[in-house]
Structures are given as C-alpha cells and as structure tokens.
C-alpha cells in the first residue's frame, strides 16, 4: 500500500509538471509539508490546501518570479487582448518572452482600435520558466517566442464576435471551400496519424460561427509588418482563401507550411518572433 501511494504521488507530480510546469513542485512542497508535520488532515483538506496554494502561486508568486527569466504573463482582463478561457491562465500556459509581450500588446491594440473593435484572443503561449522546457503537445513552444492566436470569427449573419466555436480553442477546423483532397488527408495517407488529432479535443459549442476572413487577414498582415515576426504557420488552403499570396514577397516568405509532422493549423494562427 505504501508503494502504491508513492507511485500515485509520482504520477500526479509528472502530470502536473507536464501540464503546468510548476504544479508538480507545488504538490511536492504541500504534501511534503503535511508528511513532515505528520498532519492529521484528511485527503479532502489536503487537496483543498493544495488548490488554494496553487492558485496563490499562479496569480501572485509566479508573475513576480517569471521576469527573472525574461517572461511575462499575457493580460487576462484587458480591453484588447484576452485568453480564450481561464484554463490557459490556471495552467500557466500564458507566459511569453518580454519581446513577444510587447509584440502582442502592440498588435492587439492595433487590431482592436484600427479595424475590429474586438479583442485578440490567444491560446497556448509558453511556460514561465526554463528555456527548452516543452509545452506539450506543441513541438516548439519552449522559449517564450511562440504563441497560438485564435482566428477572428463571425456569425452566419456576418456579425463579428470574440467567441470561438471550440470549447478549448483548438480542434474545430475551417475546412476548404472546394471538394479537393485536403492537406490533412494527404498527411494522414502518408502515415501521419496525429495531424488532425485535435478534432478529438475540439468540442464544437457554436456551429453558427465561421472564420471572419477579413479580420483574420488583417491580423496576419499587421503582425508581418514588424521585422521581428519570423514565421507564421497556417494551413495551405487558408493562404489562398485569405488572399495572402498577394502580400509583399518578403512578408509572404514568412508564411510557412508547418509540415505533416505537426498538426493542422486551420483552427488557429501560430506566430513566432526572432531572437
């Protein structure tokens, strides 16, 4: 029984570390304290204590320590930028390098004030500490210089909205308008089974929404005006649909195909800035 408890705690620490980076360490600190003090508190009280301490760390301690690693938490309640849901904040997945923070602040303000009157909605960004620490399941979100941004959406009547058709922000794809073989199908036929696995995570909560091509195109074009914008990943059929081939050749060269080894990018925009 003792070894089963140790194994359980080990599994919890691993999962919390992979999902939040800091949760495993906080779990060790809290339950290690209870073990050291030989506390008589039951499991419910211990879990409640962990939850309270975890939230205190997320909202008050980690934002103070993260700048030591040149990371900052993106705003949560702001006029022109916000997370798709608070899960990204609770899991500490909203941290970016200082350079990307200023990049996002500028372009979200531009998007809000210049054209849309809507907030720019972000998804996964990065963890607060340690360059090279993976933000699973992403392949490259490990240095604070990459972020996923939600498309702009509109209702079937053409009304712009900050809402997203996916509960998690991923997995509800914008399919090609024609009936040609999709890039997703080509990748799956080539053996890359993971290419559209996000569809199993993306519960569609509003089937009335569709991509707002005009506002999404503006977001991409505006971000590409900065020299530091290194590359943008987006699905090939959307490059044509959003008329991005008409961009200046230098800006167009920064729009890349991510490859079959990654996942579909017709549910979000991936932006990366240079060092």
């Amino acid at each position: 029984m003792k070894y089963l408890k140790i194994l359980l705690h080990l599994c919890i620490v691993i999962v919390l570390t992979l999902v939040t980076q800091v949760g495993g360490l906080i779990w060790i600190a809290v339950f290690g304290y209870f073990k050291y003090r030989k506390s008589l508190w039951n499991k419910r009280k211990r879990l409640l204590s962990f939850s309270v301490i975890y939230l205190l760390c997320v909202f008050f301690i980690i934002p103070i320590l993260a700048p030591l690693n040149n990371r900052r938490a993106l705003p949560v309640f702001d006029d022109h930028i916000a997370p798709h849901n608070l899960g990204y904040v609770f899991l500490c997945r909203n941290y970016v390098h200082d350079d990307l923070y200023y990049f996002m602040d500028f372009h979200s303000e531009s998007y809000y004030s210049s054209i849309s009157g809507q907030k720019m909605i972000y998804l996964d960004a990065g963890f607060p500490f340690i360059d090279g620490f993976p933000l699973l399941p992403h392949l490259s979100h490990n240095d604070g210089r990459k972020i996923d941004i939600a498309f702009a959406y509109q209702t079937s009547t053409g009304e712009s909205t900050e809402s997203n058709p996916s509960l998690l922000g991923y997995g509800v794809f914008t399919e090609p308008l024609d009936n040609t073989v999709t890039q997703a199908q080509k990748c799956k036929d080539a053996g890359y089974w993971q290419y559209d696995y996000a569809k199993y995570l993306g519960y569609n909560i509003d089937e009335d929404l569709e991509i707002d091509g005009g506002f999404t195109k503006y977001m991409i074009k505006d971000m590409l005006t900065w020299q530091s914008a290194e590359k943008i990943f987006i699905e090939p059929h959307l490059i044509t649909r959003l008329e991005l081939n008409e961009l200046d050749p230098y800006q167009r060269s920064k729009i890349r195909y991510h490859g079959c080894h990654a996942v579909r990018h017709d549910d979000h925009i991936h932006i990366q800035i240079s060092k």
Side-chain angles (χ1 to χ4, degrees):
M1 191 66 176
K2 176 182 177 181
Y3 293 109
L4 286 177
K5 285 184 178 181
I6 293 174
L7 181 60
L8 176 61
H9 280 283
L10 180 61
C11 290
I12 292 173
V13 167
I14 291 173
V15 170
L16 287 174
T17 301
L18 291 177
V19 175
T20 72
Q21 189 183 53
V22 298
L25 185 61
I26 297 172
W27 182 276
I28 292 173
V30 171
F31 283 86
Y33 172 80
F34 285 132
K35 182 69 173 178
Y36 174 74
R37 293 298 300 270
K38 298 181 180 179
S39 173
L40 298 178
W41 280 14
N42 59 32
K43 293 179 182 178
R44 183 175 298 179
K45 289 183 178 180
R46 294 185 182 194
L47 286 173
L48 179 61
S49 297
F50 166 78
S51 300
V52 171
I53 294 172
Y54 177 82
L55 291 176
L56 289 174
C57 289
V58 166
F59 288 102
F60 298 105
I61 306 300
I62 296 172
I64 296 175
L65 297 178
L68 298 175
N69 192 46
N70 296 317
R71 303 285 176 89
R72 297 180 64 179
L74 288 169
V76 180
F77 305 106
D78 194 276
D79 290 338
H80 50 86
I81 187 171
H84 171 58
N85 60 53
L86 289 177
Y88 294 101
V89 180
F90 291 148
L91 300 179
C92 297
R93 302 170 77 93
N94 65 323
Y95 281 82
V96 294
H97 190 278
D98 289 340
D99 294 343
L100 184 52
Y101 182 93
Y102 296 124
F103 179 95
M104 292 298 298
D105 182 63
F106 178 88
H107 290 291
S108 61
E109 172 63 30
S110 173
Y111 176 69
Y112 176 83
S113 61
S114 299
I115 184 171
S116 73
Q118 305 280 346
K119 295 180 182 180
M120 184 178 287
I121 305 299
Y122 64 84
L123 307 173
D124 269 337
F127 284 137
F129 307 110
I130 308 175
D131 285 349
F133 194 100
L135 184 87
L136 298 178
H138 305 279
L139 298 178
S140 63
H141 289 230
N142 59 8
D143 60 2
R145 295 180 178 273
K146 291 97 173 178
I147 188 171
D148 290 341
I149 302 170
F151 293 154
Y153 287 95
Q154 62 184 5
T155 65
S156 58
T157 59
E159 181 181 356
S160 297
T161 177
E162 295 171 0
S163 299
N164 190 300
S166 171
L167 181 65
L168 297 180
Y170 295 96
V172 177
F173 304 120
T174 298
E175 300 291 348
L177 294 177
D178 54 31
N179 294 320
T180 59
V181 177
T182 66
Q183 185 64 46
Q185 189 59 52
K186 292 178 181 177
C187 288
K188 292 179 69 176
D189 289 345
Y192 295 94
W193 59 269
Q194 87 298 332
Y195 194 70
D196 66 350
Y197 84 92
K199 67 183 179 183
Y200 300 110
L201 305 175
Y203 180 72
N204 194 332
I205 56 176
D206 193 342
E207 296 184 357
D208 184 52
L209 297 182
E210 58 187 26
I211 188 173
D212 186 321
F215 284 174
T216 301
K217 180 180 180 180
Y218 178 87
M219 273 196 289
I220 295 173
K221 288 179 62 178
D222 189 53
M223 289 187 289
L224 287 174
T225 59
W226 272 32
Q227 185 74 20
S228 61
E230 187 172 48
K231 63 180 70 172
I232 283 179
F233 292 153
I234 194 169
E235 208 69 20
H237 72 89
L238 287 177
I239 295 176
T240 302
R241 181 169 175 173
L242 300 180
E243 300 178 340
L244 296 175
N245 284 318
E246 300 176 2
L247 294 177
D248 172 89
Y250 175 69
Q251 294 181 347
R252 173 62 183 85
S253 69
K254 295 184 177 184
I255 302 176
R256 315 280 181 82
Y257 174 56
H258 39 279
C260 288
H261 64 283
V263 296
R264 290 180 67 162
H265 282 67
D266 48 4
D267 56 350
H268 70 278
I269 302 164
H270 171 99
I271 178 76
Q272 174 178 329
I273 65 168
S274 58
K275 296 182 180 180

